[in-house]
């Protein structure tokens, strides 16, 4: 059994919390600091501690929690959960990698249970490629640990994203069409429920909970380890191309049609920068081909290369791990509230492409991305997991600076959307839940919430209230 231990602290070291006695002046009201049990004391970071600035915010959102527990093991997660239970009057954030775009893994004046020190990655069984990963590991570390074995777990496009947040929500990544979502490779989860019970969920144990953990996991407990079945992935083709997108709608439509026609070993993501100061819009297209054969890679890329005037390109054959080493798992320094919206579309129709072009030209979005889905993602029936939109061929995300302006623009495009990916959507209106999950999924989630988290301890991330199904 191989075993590697990666730590999530920004410096790569693990100094552990430290505190001066006079720092207590910075303590916030509402937290019973003196009731922290001895067994948790070495995990506590509170306002005024030297390491507090490193843990108060997430990647995108600023925060000022009253207390952060950096748990070292499942036992400390159980203890921290009990502390949170006795503090129902303050928000509770669960944090793994701190890259949640919704930003709910920090808060103001509440509790954060931070799992960044639980970051082990180990192979459980070579013959079935079963690996156990703790939630605080980052996807770049998972990729690096599995690369020497010729394996990979389909993850997101940024290596700095944490395992915990992505593997409970979905995981739409660069191997998506070839290998499916991250949750499709999940075989079991260990989690701490709101009442402190440590349980295992898989197809054979608490299958209903396992279903819910794959798409809406943040609502049911704190995942302390995941078992994934890795796929055999050799080197992959990796293309980064930049296009003149003066004809925004035309380029979107052409790219969408090419991707839908392409074999499933191809997954492509497109980012559009809006036109600025007389310059045309620019499209960045990142394409992964799950093949190390140069001819296959060339064939797959040929239609993309010719879709618009190309400004720059780089094509390589590289390991998945080297591509995921694209980010830095450093200190999270987000400020303010992130503003983003998501929608799933079946096809890039001319009408959708024109509406997207209008949105970009209006200036309400500085970041507009379309990810291809379909392929292996659509092989799994939608009712098999709690992930909302399996039939969509594309996931569309827009980031903005004004909540109101982005919402106004995005809401006019609702007719195109058949679902959304909550990880990319920060709209605080509760009705987003209906957009994210089909009615049957939502009803089942509410009933399971009543069973596994009736007090809604883990309610801060979504708006999923516990509810009995209608008769
Ligand atoms: C730069 C960047 C690139 C991204 N790329 C992709 C991508 O390619 N594909 C994709 O699908 N997503 C992507 N995302 C979105 C990302 O997957 C989600 O936001 C995910 O939640 C982040 O996980 P985390 O552990 O880093 O975040 P955190 O902020 O630590 O957690 C986010 C939320 O997840 C829940 N959570 C975290 N840990 C646990 C746990 N152990 N148990 C239960 N619930 C938990 C909590 O509710 C928390 O609020 C990206 C985000 C960023 C910032």
């Amino acid at each position: 059994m191989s075993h590697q231990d990666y730590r999530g602290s920004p410096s790569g070291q693990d100094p552990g919390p430290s505190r001066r006695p006079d720092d207590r002046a910075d303590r916030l009201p509402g937290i019973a600091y003196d009731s922290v049990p001895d067994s948790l004391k070495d995990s506590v970071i509170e306002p005024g501690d030297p390491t507090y600035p490193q843990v108060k915010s997430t990647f995108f959102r600023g925060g000022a929690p009253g207390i952060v527990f950096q748990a070292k093991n499942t036992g400390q997660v159980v203890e921290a959960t009990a502390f949170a239970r006795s503090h129902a009057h303050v928000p509770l954030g669960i944090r793994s990698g701190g890259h949640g775009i919704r930003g709910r893994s920090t808060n103001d004046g509440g509790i954060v249970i931070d799992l960044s020190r639980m970051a082990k990655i180990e192979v459980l069984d070579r013959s079935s490629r079963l690996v156990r990963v703790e939630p605080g590991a980052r996807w770049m570390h998972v990729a690096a640990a599995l690369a020497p074995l010729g394996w990979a777990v389909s993850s997101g496009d940024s290596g700095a994203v944490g395992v915990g947040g992505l593997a409970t929500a979905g995981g739409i990544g660069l191997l998506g069409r070839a290998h499916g979502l991250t949750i499709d490779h999940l075989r079991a989860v260990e989690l701490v429920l709101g009442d402190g019970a440590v349980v295992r969920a898989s197809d054979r144990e608490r299958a209903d909970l396992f279903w819910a953990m794959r798409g809406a996991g943040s609502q049911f407990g704190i995942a302390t380890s995941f078992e994934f079945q890795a796929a055999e992935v050799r080197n992959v083709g990796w293309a980064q191309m930049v296009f003149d997108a003066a004809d925004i709608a035309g380029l979107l439509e052409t790219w969408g049609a090419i991707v839908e026609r392409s074999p499933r070993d191809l997954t492509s993501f497109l980012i559009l920068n809006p036109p600025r100061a007389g310059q045309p819009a620019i499209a960045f297209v990142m394409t992964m081909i799950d093949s190390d054969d140069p001819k296959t890679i060339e064939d797959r890329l040929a239609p993309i290369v010719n879709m618009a005037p190309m400004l720059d390109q780089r094509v390589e054959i590289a390991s998945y791990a080297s591509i995921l080493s694209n980010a830095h798992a450093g200190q999270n320094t987000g400020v303010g509230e992130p503003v983003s919206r998501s929608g799933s579309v079946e096809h890039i129709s001319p009408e959708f492409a024109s509406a997207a072009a209008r949105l970009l030209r209006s200036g309400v979005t500085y970041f507009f991305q379309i990810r291809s889905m379909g392929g292996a993602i659509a092989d799994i029936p939608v009712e098999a997991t709690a992930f909302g939109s399996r039939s969509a061929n594309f996931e569309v995300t827009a980031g903005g600076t004004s909540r109101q302006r982005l919402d106004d623009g995005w809401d006019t495009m609702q007719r195109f959307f058949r679902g959304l990916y909550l990880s990319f959507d920060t709209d605080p209106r509760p009705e987003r839940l209906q957009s994210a999950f089909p009615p049957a999924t939502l009803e089942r989630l509410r009933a399971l919430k009543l069973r596994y988290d009736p007090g809604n301890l883990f309610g801060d991330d979504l708006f999923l209230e516990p509810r009995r199904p209608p008769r």
Side-chain angles (χ1 to χ4, degrees):
M1 187 165 84
S2 75
H3 179 108
Q4 282 170 278
D5 190 353
Y6 293 97
R7 301 285 177 181
S9 77
S11 61
Q13 292 158 359
D14 186 19
S18 63
R19 180 168 316 116
R20 298 189 313 268
D22 58 344
D23 288 335
R24 288 162 183 247
D26 293 321
R27 287 181 163 182
L28 300 181
I31 306 285
Y33 293 93
D34 294 331
S35 69
V36 172
D38 286 346
S39 53
L40 266 187
K41 290 222 162 101
D42 68 345
S43 78
V44 169
I45 301 177
E46 51 175 76
D49 286 351
T51 50
Y52 181 76
Q54 294 170 24
V55 299
K56 66 193 182 83
S57 298
T58 64
F59 187 74
F60 273 129
R61 184 169 178 242
I67 193 164
V68 176
F69 294 107
Q70 275 197 334
K72 286 202 299 281
N73 51 46
T74 301
Q76 283 197 329
V77 177
V78 172
E79 296 267 13
T81 304
F83 189 87
R85 255 194 332 268
S86 68
H87 285 72
H89 53 285
V90 297
L92 169 64
I94 311 302
R95 182 186 304 164
S96 290
H99 274 56
I101 294 172
R102 299 170 63 74
R104 296 353 267 186
S105 65
T106 193
N107 53 49
D108 284 320
I111 297 168
V112 170
I113 302 180
D114 177 334
L115 303 146
S116 59
R117 294 164 90 188
M118 295 175 64
K120 287 197 193 84
I121 301 163
E122 58 187 323
V123 175
L124 294 180
D125 180 32
R126 267 180 184 259
S127 62
S128 58
R129 298 187 301 277
L130 197 65
V131 295
R132 177 181 175 278
V133 184
E134 290 185 342
R138 308 299 182 96
W139 285 105
M140 67 170 93
H141 298 147
V142 177
L146 302 186
L149 300 158
W151 303 349
V153 175
S154 179
S155 61
D157 59 358
S158 164
V161 167
V163 167
L166 187 118
T168 46
I172 306 173
L174 294 162
L175 288 171
R177 292 180 83 238
H179 294 285
L181 300 171
T182 305
I183 54 169
D184 300 340
H185 298 270
L186 199 53
R187 298 294 171 261
V189 194
E190 180 197 82
L191 69 152
V192 176
L193 298 177
D195 64 5
V198 180
V199 300
R200 192 178 147 87
S202 70
D203 271 339
R204 281 170 308 190
E205 306 133 291
R206 297 177 187 80
D208 55 353
L209 182 58
F210 187 50
W211 173 86
M213 289 305 289
R214 290 172 292 166
S218 68
Q219 294 303 289
F220 292 91
I222 305 176
T224 47
S225 76
F226 299 89
E227 286 174 24
F228 296 104
Q229 186 166 24
E232 278 176 347
V233 177
R234 293 137 70 108
N235 280 349
V236 294
W238 175 233
Q240 299 172 82
M241 296 174 180
V242 185
F243 295 95
D244 175 326
D247 176 9
I248 298 176
L251 180 132
L252 286 180
E253 210 188 319
T254 308
W255 171 82
I258 292 169
V259 170
E260 274 200 59
R261 269 200 316 269
S262 294
R264 61 171 57 193
D265 54 12
L266 176 144
T267 302
S268 190
F269 289 5
L270 180 150
I271 297 173
L272 263 168
N273 275 4
R276 273 199 197 102
Q279 297 297 312
I282 302 287
F284 298 88
V285 176
M286 293 164 293
T287 307
M288 187 172 281
I289 296 126
D290 183 22
S291 167
D292 57 0
D293 171 36
K295 174 79 173 67
T296 305
I297 295 167
E298 204 183 317
D299 287 353
R300 300 291 187 268
L301 291 176
I304 296 182
V305 167
N306 295 314
M307 72 180 181
M310 187 188 282
L311 304 177
D312 199 3
Q313 66 155 319
R314 183 189 156 107
V315 182
E316 58 189 310
I317 298 178
S319 70
Y320 184 64
S322 74
I323 293 155
L324 274 214
S325 66
N326 56 7
H328 176 55
Q331 179 179 336
N332 289 321
T333 53
V335 286
E337 284 286 339
V339 175
S340 68
R341 295 299 301 273
S342 158
S344 312
V345 296
E346 307 271 332
H347 311 286
I348 311 286
S349 63
E351 296 75 22
F352 171 76
S354 300
R358 272 196 302 279
L359 187 85
L360 267 147
R361 292 211 168 88
S362 75
V364 304
T365 175
Y366 66 90
F367 175 87
F368 182 88
Q369 184 184 48
I370 309 187
R371 294 161 174 255
S372 56
M373 295 176 60
I377 297 174
D379 287 347
I380 310 257
V382 70
E383 59 278 5
T385 67
F387 185 82
S389 33
R390 294 259 181 192
S391 67
N393 282 304
F394 301 95
E395 196 284 331
V396 188
T397 308
T401 48
S402 156
R403 167 94 278 153
Q404 190 63 51
R405 290 185 67 217
L406 183 63
D407 285 348
D408 288 349
W410 201 253
D411 289 350
T412 63
M413 295 172 64
Q414 283 302 336
R415 66 186 184 284
F416 299 112
F417 300 135
R418 301 282 174 276
L420 63 80
Y421 186 36
L422 273 170
S423 285
F424 288 154
D425 197 302
T426 64
D427 182 358
R429 291 171 289 184
E431 58 265 33
R432 282 297 71 80
L433 215 54
Q434 273 101 8
S435 318
F437 300 108
T441 303
L442 193 51
E443 196 177 296
R444 194 171 168 196
L445 282 173
R446 285 187 168 129
L448 287 170
K449 183 86 172 156
L450 192 64
R451 177 155 168 214
Y452 288 105
D453 185 29
N456 207 9
L457 185 66
F458 304 112
D460 202 40
D461 187 40
L462 304 182
F463 325 97
L464 184 72
E465 77 281 17
R467 198 194 290 170
R468 238 174 268 288
R471 282 192 197 182

